[in-house]
Amino acid sequence: MNNFRYKMAQFFSGRTGIDALGRTVTWVALILMLLTMFTHSNAIYLLAMACLAYSIWRMLSKNYQKRYNENQLFLQKTVKIRAFFSKLVPNVKTKFAKIQYDFNQRKTYAIFKCPSCKQKLRAPRGRGKIEVTCSKCHTVFVKRV
Ligand SMILES: [Zn+2]
């Protein structure tokens, strides 16, 4: 088994392997094959086979530099499409960062409401009794933070 692995590694060394373009073409081939099952269209089937053959040929190609340039060109041409798809996926990272930011704010700032207009205000914690002037209605009141 290890010998097989070694042989595979040797076989793939110096070859292009799978990059973004290769992955996309493979996906297109799979989608076209699914379409073939539903439509029984020979044209779609041939296109699927062509995509598959192309992706395998790319993967095994030893002209790494040329394949790299193709991939770069592909990435450039699909910037807008990829941006569109990444927008569809909810940005969990940003949301998490916001929650963390709020949490840190609450740790360092006391958040309270103005007694007269209910405007949300904040002041650094740990200062004891302070005089607060509301930023909205300019009411002055004393608050322990
Ligand atoms: Zn106020």
Side-chain angles (χ1 to χ4, degrees), residues 114-119 121 134-139 141:
C114 165
S116 84
C117 75
K118 307 297 177 205
Q119 166 73 20
L121 301 166
C134 173
S135 59
K136 200 176 172 189
C137 67
H138 305 291
T139 303
F141 59 98

Side-chain angles (χ1 to χ4, degrees), residues 13-59:
S13 78
R15 293 175 198 264
T16 307
I18 297 171
D19 55 13
L21 177 55
R23 219 173 2 245
T24 307
V25 176
T26 309
W27 271 110
V28 170
L30 287 174
I31 290 163
L32 288 174
M33 268 189 247
L34 267 174
L35 278 177
T36 308
M37 287 205 281
F38 291 114
T39 62
H40 303 287
S41 156
N42 283 333
I44 295 174
Y45 179 71
L46 280 176
L47 204 60
M49 286 301 124
C51 283
L52 200 65
Y54 177 67
S55 75
I56 292 169
W57 170 79
R58 268 195 107 251
M59 215 154 65

Side-chain angles (χ1 to χ4, degrees), residues 57-79:
W57 170 79
R58 268 195 107 251
M59 215 154 65
L60 301 180
S61 171
K62 284 194 167 175
N63 196 343
Y64 179 79
Q65 193 55 49
K66 205 169 174 203
R67 299 292 87 78
Y68 176 81
N69 290 340
E70 283 169 5
N71 189 48
Q72 289 302 315
L73 190 72
F74 166 74
L75 290 175
Q76 271 172 32
K77 297 268 185 206
T78 55
V79 154

